[in-house]
Amino acid sequence: MSDAHAALETGLAALAAALEQPLPADYLALQRAPGPVPGPFGAHEWLRPAAALAQWQLNQELHGSGTLRALPVAADAGVRAQAWHPGWLPLTHDGAGTLAALDLAPAEGGQAGQVILVDAEGGRRRRLGRDLADWLARPGAGLVDDAG
């Protein structure tokens, strides 16, 4: 096993342990696929497992400290109207706190594995796709309008 492959598998295991659940098969396949992840994502950067874990831990810390809890939030149907939830797996980020996430704990009417926008500045929680394949098939993965 190469060092890069070992690091990837270690990152995936750490991410699953933090989320306290197995990672979805489509997410694992995408992370393990050779070459770059499909894009572009506008101003967003795709997060490999170690970076996704770091982003998840940061949001957990901010939520735990109360920093995120006080923020007003509006959400699409099926998406939790919360500032942060530990069942959201970061997929991309824009460097300013907004991210696309794999929703592993949707609200009533939502679908586990849907992709959502967690907008740090506007307080929006928007559904970007019903799953990873649907999301990635959209031009700019639905993030181009949020760039900038």
Side-chain angles (χ1 to χ4, degrees), residues 80-130:
R80 292 178 182 271
Q82 294 177 223
W84 174 250
H85 189 278
W88 293 345
L89 168 56
L91 298 170
T92 70
H93 75 96
D94 69 355
T98 296
L99 51 96
L102 193 59
D103 187 356
L104 304 177
E108 186 175 331
Q111 175 180 320
Q114 66 190 2
V115 177
I116 61 171
L117 177 73
V118 180
D119 181 356
E121 295 178 12
R124 292 180 297 154
R125 303 297 176 263
R126 184 166 50 101
R127 186 174 171 194
L128 297 174
R130 63 182 177 276

Side-chain angles (χ1 to χ4, degrees), residues 5-142:
H5 181 73
L8 173 67
E9 293 303 320
T10 299
L12 290 169
L15 194 51
L19 289 164
E20 299 179 349
Q21 63 182 299
L23 299 174
D26 56 349
Y27 177 78
L28 291 171
L30 189 59
Q31 287 289 7
R32 289 173 174 150
V37 173
F41 300 110
H44 286 244
E45 175 186 345
W46 175 258
L47 299 173
R48 288 293 185 188
L53 177 58
Q55 184 68 55
W56 184 88
Q57 289 171 328
L58 173 63
N59 284 0
Q60 283 288 96
E61 182 180 312
L62 292 172
H63 183 71
S65 72
T67 304
L68 292 178
R69 283 188 229 166
L71 299 176
V73 174
D76 288 353
V79 179
R80 292 178 182 271
Q82 294 177 223
W84 174 250
H85 189 278
W88 293 345
L89 168 56
L91 298 170
T92 70
H93 75 96
D94 69 355
T98 296
L99 51 96
L102 193 59
D103 187 356
L104 304 177
E108 186 175 331
Q111 175 180 320
Q114 66 190 2
V115 177
I116 61 171
L117 177 73
V118 180
D119 181 356
E121 295 178 12
R124 292 180 297 154
R125 303 297 176 263
R126 184 166 50 101
R127 186 174 171 194
L128 297 174
R130 63 182 177 276
D131 56 29
L132 277 171
D134 178 56
W135 174 61
L136 289 170
R138 296 169 188 255

